[in-house]
């Protein structure tokens, strides 16, 4: 994990526009939002899926995976910058630092999000991320769909429309698999396609795994919002209750929400069972996602 995290950080540092290039303040704020923080779960999933699809870690292509890792983190960091804005969750702390709109200003935070999103697509189009150009176009589409109105942004719209409401468990699941699950699913899908030629049955198993860990990730995020501390998470705890958001914790209570995350962890492991030793890192990441404390 440390190796992939360091690699992602170094590549982001190198590829993001220099803070000395105009418009300097925007570039500084983009770097502020992306660099030096976060668990880098989406890059970790992309690297692990690349290894699983290649069948052997030695055969995965780290240069391609690095670019995917950066594109995924740029989209993710953009989603966090916008998520914290006063018109969304109105949060002032992110990754242990003032949120982007607090450190800079709201208009800059808006433009940081816009710029990071398009930078992700710039990266995926100017670097080779697959052997096959038609697969590369398919990969661009996977990311586009995952972050748009049928993916992350759509999930965020549902989240905002649900404030003050009681959602059923299927409705919560729908919200979570979009706002958080979609980008996690794309991380696995892109990692797997960057390397070798995965067969459809293999891609299906990986996708099933990704759906399980994507939902589990947000269930655990809901639990940590209730149970953890601001110092440990680096973001304000108790925010969901304060903002009147329906979550798995408000719907099921802590014990059943945790049991669901466990169930999803088992399903994720089952989905990997036919993939052999090359999927070991994905299995470890399912454990990390469910058992994490931050
Ligand atoms: C937080 O994501 C927002 C959600 C989608 C739940 P992460 O927990 O991956 O945040 P970082 O990147 O580690 O800060
Ligand atoms: C965020 O969900 C999902 C995103 C797409 C950013 P949350 O609003 O629960 O994320 P945190 O808790 O602020 O990180
Ligand atoms: Mg939110
Ligand atoms: Mg939030
Ligand atoms: Mg949360």
């Amino acid at each position: 994990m440390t190796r992939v995290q360091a690699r992602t950080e170094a590549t982001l540092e190198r590829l993001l526009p220099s803070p000395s290039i105009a418009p300097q303040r925007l570039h500084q704020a983009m770097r502020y939002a992306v660099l030096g923080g976060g668990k880098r779960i989406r890059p970790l999933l992309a690297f692990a899926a690349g290894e699983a699809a290649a069948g052997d870690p030695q055969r995965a292509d780290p240069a391609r995976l690095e670019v995917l890792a950066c594109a995924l983190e740029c989209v993710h960091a953009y989603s966090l910058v916008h998520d914290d804005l006063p018109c969304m969750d109105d949060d002032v702390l992110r990754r242990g630092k003032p949120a982007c709109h607090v450190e800079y200003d709201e208009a800059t935070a808006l433009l940081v999000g816009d710029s990071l999103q398009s930078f992700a697509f710039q990266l995926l189009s100017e670097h080779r991320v697959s052997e096959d150009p038609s697969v590369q176009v398919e990969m661009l589409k996977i990311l586009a769909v995952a972050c748009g109105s049928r993916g992350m942004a759509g999930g965020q719209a549902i989240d905002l429309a649900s404030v003050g409401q009681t959602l059923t468990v299927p409705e919560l699941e729908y919200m979570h698999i979009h706002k958080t699950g979609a980008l996690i699913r794309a991380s696995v899908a892109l990692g797997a396609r960057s390397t070798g030629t995965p067969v459809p049955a293999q891609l299906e198993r990986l996708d099933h795994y990704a759906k399980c860990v994507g939902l589990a990730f947000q269930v655990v995020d809901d639990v940590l919002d209730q149970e953890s501390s601001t110092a440990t998470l680096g973001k304000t705890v108790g925010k969901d209750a304060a903002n009147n958001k329906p979550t798995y914790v408000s719907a099921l209570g802590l014990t059943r929400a945790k049991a669901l995350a466990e169930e999803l962890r088992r399903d994720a492991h089952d989905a990997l069972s036919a993939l052999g030793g090359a999927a070991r890192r994905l299995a470890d990441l399912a454990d990390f996602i469910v058992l994490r404390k931050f």
Side-chain angles (χ1 to χ4, degrees):
M1 280 179 78
T2 314
R3 187 177 50 87
V4 171
Q5 286 162 336
R7 208 168 180 140
T8 302
E9 184 74 18
T11 315
L12 284 164
E13 171 72 46
R14 177 166 55 84
L15 294 177
L16 279 164
S18 155
S20 60
I21 293 174
Q24 284 91 346
R25 189 175 156 82
L26 178 59
H27 289 146
Q28 284 158 14
M30 286 166 72
R31 298 174 72 90
Y32 178 83
V34 176
L35 296 174
K39 297 177 286 293
R40 310 297 193 201
I41 283 290
R42 294 146 194 86
L44 286 159
L45 286 166
F47 268 83
E51 291 183 5
D56 172 358
Q58 303 304 324
R59 290 220 308 271
D61 186 328
R64 287 184 200 158
L65 289 164
E66 269 172 10
V67 172
L68 292 180
C70 290
L72 289 162
E73 270 304 300
C74 285
V75 170
H76 171 57
Y78 129 64
S79 80
L80 299 178
V81 168
H82 282 191
D83 183 76
D84 290 337
L85 283 169
C87 59
M88 295 193 76
D89 290 354
D90 192 14
D91 219 324
V92 294
L93 191 69
R94 175 63 67 182
R95 295 175 166 175
K97 303 188 295 192
C100 188
H101 67 277
V102 175
E103 183 72 13
Y104 290 86
D105 55 75
E106 276 180 45
T108 302
L110 204 64
L111 294 170
V112 162
D114 296 340
S115 305
L116 286 175
Q117 173 163 218
S118 75
F119 186 64
F121 289 95
Q122 184 186 330
L123 289 176
L124 286 200
S125 44
E126 72 189 3
H127 295 266
R128 171 162 284 214
V129 288
S130 164
E131 199 72 33
D132 177 344
S134 69
V135 174
Q136 176 133 358
V137 174
E138 186 196 344
M139 290 165 78
L140 280 157
K141 182 175 168 185
I142 287 172
L143 186 63
V145 173
C147 52
S149 64
R150 303 297 307 277
M152 185 273 289
Q156 290 284 68
I158 296 167
D159 176 294
L160 294 174
S162 307
V163 170
Q165 299 193 11
T166 306
L167 298 188
T168 62
V169 170
E171 286 168 339
L172 271 171
E173 179 177 315
Y174 188 85
M175 173 168 86
H176 280 25
I177 63 180
H178 287 84
K179 72 172 185 174
T180 298
L183 193 59
I184 287 182
R185 205 174 154 195
S187 305
V188 172
L190 295 184
R193 280 166 179 78
S194 71
T195 192
T197 40
V199 293
Q202 199 180 14
L203 288 174
E204 254 170 56
R205 289 191 187 101
L206 289 171
D207 193 44
H208 187 74
Y209 161 87
K211 286 193 216 169
C212 295
V213 295
L215 176 57
F217 192 90
Q218 186 64 42
V219 173
V220 172
D221 185 85
D222 291 353
V223 167
L224 293 173
D225 185 86
Q226 170 93 11
E227 261 198 346
S228 185
S229 70
T230 297
T232 307
L233 286 189
K235 58 185 185 186
T236 320
V237 292
K239 203 65 186 127
D240 294 330
N243 285 354
N244 238 328
K245 299 255 185 173
T247 65
Y248 270 88
V249 175
S250 68
L252 296 180
L254 275 172
T255 308
R256 283 171 64 209
K258 288 183 196 174
L260 174 67
E262 260 311 310
E263 201 182 300
L264 289 164
R265 175 158 80 112
R266 279 196 299 276
D267 287 351
H269 279 276
D270 289 348
L272 299 177
S273 58
L275 296 173
R280 189 180 56 82
R281 279 185 212 284
L282 284 174
D284 290 347
L285 283 168
D287 294 343
F288 176 73
I289 284 168
V290 172
L291 303 174
R292 70 201 166 100
K293 296 285 173 241
F294 59 94

